[in-house]
Amino acid sequence: MEATVTVFISLVIPAILLVFFLVATYSRCRADLVEVHNEEAHRTFTEAEVLTHNKRSDLWIILKNKVYDVTSFVEEHPGGDAILNNAGGDSTVGFFGPQHGTKVFEMLDDFLIGDLEQ
Ligand code: HEM
């Protein structure tokens, strides 16, 4: 009985504290990431400015009044050059077409750079 209590105090309690510490540290890191990401995403761009990024080597698109820099994705896009259909402009209709499954919507955050000025 005494041995069990000793094991509990010397092993189980430190283990529980360690888990709490790791979870707290992990949550803080995640919060930092979200903050940085949101700061970047809160820039506002005019339509004219977005329109200047209208080529394969520098491609921004607008989806539902948000601005995405998809330059790094042009060559990877499974739909090929369709992603350039409205280069520098509003691609909302094309993007939300039947060719895109819901997993494509989850990729969007990776490319978000800001909002369109209203
Ligand atoms: C952030 C921008 C975009 C991302 C991340 C993206 C991603 C993808 C992905 C992952 C697929 C494969 C199908 C799937 O997994 O559901 C796909 C297919 C396709 N995408 Fe996009 N896409 C983007 C923008 C666009 C735009 C603006 C158009 C304009 C029409 C477009 C047209 C297509 C087409 C036509 C296909 C079908 C390809 C095929 O199956 O033959 N995409 N896209």
Side-chain angles (χ1 to χ4, degrees), residues 70 73 77-79 82-83 85 91 94-95 99-101 103-104 107-108:
V70 289
F73 191 66
H77 182 228
I83 198 169
N85 283 358
S91 299
F95 182 82
Q99 77 281 358
H100 284 159
K103 77 173 186 340
V104 180
M107 298 166 67
L108 274 186

Side-chain angles (χ1 to χ4, degrees), residues 31-106:
D32 288 350
L33 283 177
V34 168
E35 247 167 53
V36 169
H37 177 84
N38 284 347
E39 253 170 45
E40 280 173 3
H42 274 129
R43 282 197 56 195
T44 301
F45 303 97
T46 61
E47 262 180 62
E49 187 176 358
V50 177
L51 193 55
T52 62
H53 302 269
N54 60 4
K55 47 186 181 292
R56 178 182 296 281
S57 58
D58 177 17
L59 180 64
W60 291 9
I61 57 175
I62 298 165
L63 303 173
K64 293 191 171 171
N65 294 323
K66 291 194 178 298
V67 180
Y68 298 85
D69 180 349
V70 289
T71 311
S72 63
F73 191 66
V74 175
E75 302 303 332
E76 277 175 51
H77 182 228
D81 283 358
I83 198 169
L84 287 149
N85 283 358
N86 292 289
D90 198 316
S91 299
T92 308
V93 174
F95 182 82
F96 289 98
Q99 77 281 358
H100 284 159
T102 46
K103 77 173 186 340
V104 180
F105 306 158
E106 288 163 18

